[in-house]
Amino acid sequence: MAQTDISSLLDRLAALYPALPPQLAQAARHILDAPEEVAMRSMRSLAGHVGVAPTTMVRLAQALGFASYKAFRRAVQEAMRQPGAGFAGRAEWLQELAGRGDAGEVMGGMAQAAIANIETSSRGLDVATLAAAADALRGAACVHVVGIGGMHGLATYFAYVARMVLGNVRLAEPAMGVMVDELATLGPEDALMIAGVDPYGAETVRSAELARARGAAVIAITDSRASPLAPLATHLLIAPTASPQFFPSQAAIVVMMETLIALLVSRGGKEVIRRIEAVDRFRAEHGVYWRSS
């Protein structure tokens, strides 16, 4: 299996997921969220961690077209065998943090989770999908940005920065708490940029359903291929959110958003540069930036 095939393998698993029996679905969901564990754990260890019988892992591998779980695991290992920079130094740093007492242990756990989420997201990201998502944003008559609950701050950040690059970005701010009113003008020439993670907000899913029904492109950043946003997405971007604390980590989502914006800039030519310069100049002229006297 080539390096880039990890994404297509996970796409195949995600396509099977809705029709799988409960035990197979439980195993599939875990692998979709943490494919690296297939490479690192033995079959029995992973099955025990997921809470299913080892034979369930074998049946899942066979459902994906592999003759055995061993063949499936070897394929995943080959796909993930990419050179990494500074792993030893990073491990030493995390161990040092853990030795500093409770605060250091918490800090180390948070750092480790954020790094793992970003790496997993990057390894599983199909570059063609990312490029297509950026093109959909660039070509849209209007980009409606939606983030509900914990995602609202990230949606605001994305809209704020993307507005410097594109002239067609609109943050959906629900009037009187009704998001559907904000999307009333959404049409097939538009795009919906939406983020949602487990537990998935009902309004988040309804917003994506509305956009899909209206024929708009749906660029969805979510935490799993088993997410209810996945089948609604025209362009699906996965950003894991595992965290040792009670709330989902947002680090990989921020990186995904910033990567999208960077791609928009890199593909925008001189027009984008002129737009950013104009926005920056306007802000400076109107005292937006603080300057020491």
Side-chain angles (χ1 to χ4, degrees), residues 171-261:
L171 177 65
E173 295 275 15
M176 303 300 291
V178 182
M179 179 60 76
V180 69
D181 287 347
E182 285 292 290
L183 302 177
T185 61
L186 196 66
E189 71 283 359
D190 298 326
L192 177 73
M193 175 71 188
I194 191 165
V197 302
D198 190 22
Y200 308 101
E203 275 199 294
T204 301
V205 179
R206 282 196 289 267
S207 296
E209 288 174 338
L210 174 62
R212 194 63 187 260
R214 292 284 185 86
V218 178
I219 297 92
I221 300 179
T222 190
D223 55 346
S224 171
R225 285 173 172 79
S227 161
L229 290 178
L232 299 170
T234 314
H235 309 287
L236 179 64
L237 304 172
I238 303 297
T241 58
S243 174
Q245 61 121 337
F246 73 97
F247 203 78
S249 170
Q250 300 183 0
I253 300 173
V254 172
V255 170
M256 187 69 76
M257 288 179 167
E258 292 181 340
T259 302
L260 259 181
I261 291 170

Side-chain angles (χ1 to χ4, degrees), residues 159-169 265 268-283:
Y160 178 80
V161 181
R163 197 174 287 149
M164 296 179 66
V165 181
L166 303 172
N168 57 349
V169 179
V265 173
K270 293 183 179 179
E271 179 184 347
V272 166
I273 300 302
R274 285 194 294 268
R275 180 172 178 82
I276 294 173
E277 288 175 343
V279 171
D280 201 38
R281 186 167 54 251
F282 177 84
R283 290 175 177 173

Side-chain angles (χ1 to χ4, degrees), residues 3 6 22 25 46-47 82 86 96 104-105 112-113 119 121 124-125 142-143 163 176 179 181 199 224 238 245 259 278:
Q3 288 181 358
I6 188 64
L46 182 56
Q82 301 178 25
E96 180 190 348
E105 188 172 351
Q112 191 168 24
E119 286 187 344
S121 179
L125 182 61
C142 181
V143 176
R163 197 174 287 149
M176 303 300 291
M179 179 60 76
D181 287 347
S224 171
I238 303 297
Q245 61 121 337
T259 302

Side-chain angles (χ1 to χ4, degrees), residues 23-96:
Q23 289 290 296
L24 286 180
Q26 184 175 333
R29 173 66 191 250
H30 188 85
I31 292 172
L32 285 169
D33 292 346
E36 70 280 358
E37 292 202 359
V38 175
M40 295 187 296
R41 289 178 178 264
S42 69
M43 180 182 71
R44 291 187 179 278
S45 172
L46 182 56
H49 181 66
V50 175
V52 298
T55 53
T56 299
M57 308 305 292
V58 175
R59 288 164 54 210
L60 185 60
Q62 291 172 341
L64 282 167
F66 292 91
S68 64
Y69 183 84
K70 183 178 180 180
F72 169 56
R73 186 181 184 217
R74 187 184 307 118
V76 174
Q77 287 173 331
E78 288 296 323
M80 290 190 158
R81 190 170 291 139
Q82 301 178 25
F87 288 127
R90 182 187 304 160
E92 289 175 359
W93 172 65
L94 291 171
Q95 288 175 1
E96 180 190 348

